[in-house]
Amino acid sequence: MIGIIGIVVVFVMVFGGYVAAGGHFGIILHSLPFELTMIMGAAIGAFLIANDGAGVKQTIKDIGKVFKGANWKPADYQDLLCLLFELIRLARQNPVALEEHIEAPETSDIFGRYPKVLKDHEAVELICDTLRSITLSYDDPLQVEEVLDKRMESTLHHALHSSHAMQTVADGLPALGIVAAVLGVIKTMAAIDQPPEVLGGLIGGALVGTFLGVFIAYGFVGPFAAKMRAVVEDDSHFYKLIREVLIANLHNHPANMCIEVGRQNTPHHVRPSYGNLEEAMRNLKREAA
């Protein structure tokens, strides 16, 4: 919703100010279809040249993040902590029983209690791969933390591709606006023998290209890229939480303490309260008894 409000504010403030200053839409509306076709057509073409098919699909899909916001909500962080708590307790009580859950999480009753987490391929693989490596005696906390850091860095880099692609387009739009404006000037020069009122209209139409390039770049595409980046970075805390809890587990802290380490390393705006999380873990213990 806030994204839609932002778009409305941009339009109202820019064009409202233009009208309030005595501007008229006639020249803009007359030139808009042609200038917009040149600028946006060139921008889309350049975008297609710079990206492969997967990158194009990812970027189109990720535009929705501008309006939807972060995927992971506070309740999801609590669910993740509860899932990790169950897995850690099981790993310490019965390591053999843990194997069926990490080898086939899609059929696991533990993972099944947290469907949104289970749907996230990267989160599930991160948990299962790390727990599997521990069962294979790859349990040095520093080495495991290094591996997890590199893996998450690679995942984050891939997830940020869309925002980088959009920012590249935003950086190029003002220049494409100038290209459209230059073409307008060329058209004007071809009509140099026309009266001043005609030349004024042609020059005004040419300047619409420069206006559109800058307006679209800094009013929409650039902010879209920034929002997409912010959402991806916000969601990355979900995977960092997995790392914190599993590394704490390798230090042989009590299961409750491992979860508390993860909770305290969760950003404040999505951090579950201590009381709610403690109550949820007590319920899990009662169900397991």
Side-chain angles (χ1 to χ4, degrees):
M1 177 59 72
I2 193 170
I4 296 175
I5 293 174
I7 291 174
V8 172
V9 169
V10 170
F11 272 110
V12 171
M13 292 297 102
V14 171
F15 291 105
Y18 173 71
V19 172
H24 300 284
F25 279 109
I27 294 178
I28 294 177
L29 294 177
H30 180 267
S31 303
L32 186 63
F34 310 106
E35 301 289 335
L36 199 60
T37 297
M38 286 188 284
I39 295 169
M40 293 307 298
I44 292 172
F47 172 74
L48 294 176
I49 293 172
N51 297 273
D52 58 15
V56 171
K57 291 179 181 178
Q58 180 184 341
T59 303
I60 294 173
K61 178 182 177 182
D62 286 351
I63 289 175
K65 293 179 178 179
V66 175
F67 306 101
K68 295 178 182 177
N71 180 49
W72 303 112
K73 312 301 181 185
D76 301 320
Y77 281 85
Q78 178 162 312
D79 284 347
L80 176 62
L81 289 169
C82 289
L83 168 62
L84 293 171
F85 176 70
E86 289 195 74
L87 293 172
I88 290 173
R89 287 184 71 239
L90 182 61
R92 295 183 179 185
Q93 294 172 359
N94 189 351
V96 175
L98 176 68
E99 291 185 10
E100 64 179 273
H101 297 283
I102 61 176
E103 295 302 334
E106 63 280 356
T107 60
S108 165
D109 57 335
I110 294 179
F111 279 95
R113 284 194 279 272
Y114 312 98
K116 187 172 179 179
V117 179
L118 182 59
K119 288 180 181 178
D120 190 277
H121 181 73
E122 180 60 26
V124 172
E125 279 203 345
L126 195 62
I127 294 169
C128 294
D129 290 348
T130 305
L131 290 175
R132 186 183 299 109
S133 68
I134 295 173
T135 63
L136 298 174
S137 298
Y138 187 75
D139 55 1
D140 181 275
L142 296 178
Q143 290 181 332
V144 173
E145 184 173 13
E146 183 180 359
V147 170
L148 293 178
D149 282 341
K150 289 181 178 179
R151 176 169 180 169
M152 288 189 293
E153 181 181 351
S154 175
T155 300
L156 179 61
H157 177 76
H158 176 73
L160 288 172
H161 173 80
S162 297
S163 66
H164 292 320
M166 289 288 284
Q167 187 58 54
T168 300
V169 173
D171 293 340
L173 275 169
L176 293 175
I178 293 174
V179 169
V182 169
L183 291 175
V185 172
I186 294 174
K187 177 183 175 183
T188 302
M189 295 305 294
I192 196 67
D193 58 339
Q194 298 298 313
E197 58 270 19
V198 174
L199 290 176
L202 292 173
I203 294 172
L207 292 175
V208 169
T210 303
F211 160 71
L212 285 177
V214 175
F215 178 61
I216 296 172
Y218 295 108
F220 298 104
V221 182
F224 269 51
K227 180 64 175 181
M228 290 160 66
R229 181 181 183 88
V231 170
V232 168
E233 290 178 343
D234 195 13
D235 279 339
S236 70
H237 292 294
F238 196 77
Y239 308 105
K240 292 178 182 178
L241 173 58
I242 296 173
R243 178 195 62 190
E244 297 297 334
V245 172
L246 294 182
I247 294 301
N249 175 53
L250 288 175
H251 285 287
N252 293 316
H253 296 309
N256 283 39
M257 183 56 67
C258 294
I259 301 305
E260 179 59 16
V261 167
R263 190 190 75 85
Q264 292 193 26
N265 278 279
T266 302
H268 183 268
H269 66 285
V270 289
R271 182 187 304 152
S273 69
Y274 177 82
N276 289 342
L277 183 58
E278 190 68 18
E279 178 63 25
M281 290 192 295
R282 279 198 294 266
N283 291 335
L284 290 174
K285 289 179 181 178
R286 284 195 292 267
E287 292 173 4

